[in-house]
Amino acid sequence: LVLAAVYARHGESALAEEALRELLRHNPDCSLAWQRLSHFLRKNHRLEDDLQAMREWTEHCPGDADAWCHRGMSAVMTDRIPEAREYLQRALELDPKHHEALCWLGQSYQSEQDPHTALRYLSQGLQIKPDYQPGWNMLGGVYQSVGRQHESEGCFMRALAISPTQALAWNNLANTYLDGQVLG
């Protein structure tokens, strides 16, 4: 893991990926390596490769709720919503209090313009882990989509309080203000 991080810091993407894949060949139960590989692939806009890697993780570790959650997240990002829900539900069967799976399940409903169901799942996930920054970003997006700009602003502010350098939350907050519906 350290070697992959060093390669990544020095801009050696191919070597970083190879180090992670080599680690996983020898230790396919290493959740952190799978998560880092997923993050690396997403960051490099290789969403199909990420989905394939997450499929491999669930094959190696079928009882790991995190593996199913990450596979579901990857499916949401590639707009495979029914498939994503199946994986996220599997994660919740293994761990009913899996905050990420709940939030991403909410996001899957939001991507199909079902804000009420999205709100329910996101609220459940954030009750379990109130400092889950991506969940606040997602919840802010739900509120923004239904014109509840003040609630949206509050969610993005909460996301920024958790992680002040998170560019997506800043962008979302700016968009809330640009909508012109939130007055200072």
Side-chain angles (χ1 to χ4, degrees), residues 72 75-82 84-85 88 103-115 117-119 122 138 141-142 145:
V76 169
M77 289 182 198
T78 56
D79 206 28
R80 292 176 170 92
I81 302 305
R85 287 191 189 132
L88 294 165
C103 287
W104 279 89
L105 198 53
Q107 184 64 23
S108 79
Y109 283 98
Q110 176 61 13
S111 70
E112 290 187 330
Q113 287 78 43
D114 183 351
T117 305
L119 181 62
L122 282 160
M138 292 175 200
V142 172
S145 75

Side-chain angles (χ1 to χ4, degrees), residues 97-100 102-103 122-137 139 154-155 157-163:
K97 294 193 177 281
H98 199 289
H99 70 279
E100 272 187 306
L102 287 163
C103 287
L122 282 160
S123 296
Q124 288 175 358
L126 289 169
Q127 284 175 358
I128 293 167
K129 186 158 174 59
D131 64 344
Y132 182 56
Q133 189 271 345
W136 288 105
N137 241 343
L139 185 59
C155 291
M157 297 286 273
R158 180 78 181 259
L160 288 166
I162 295 166
S163 182

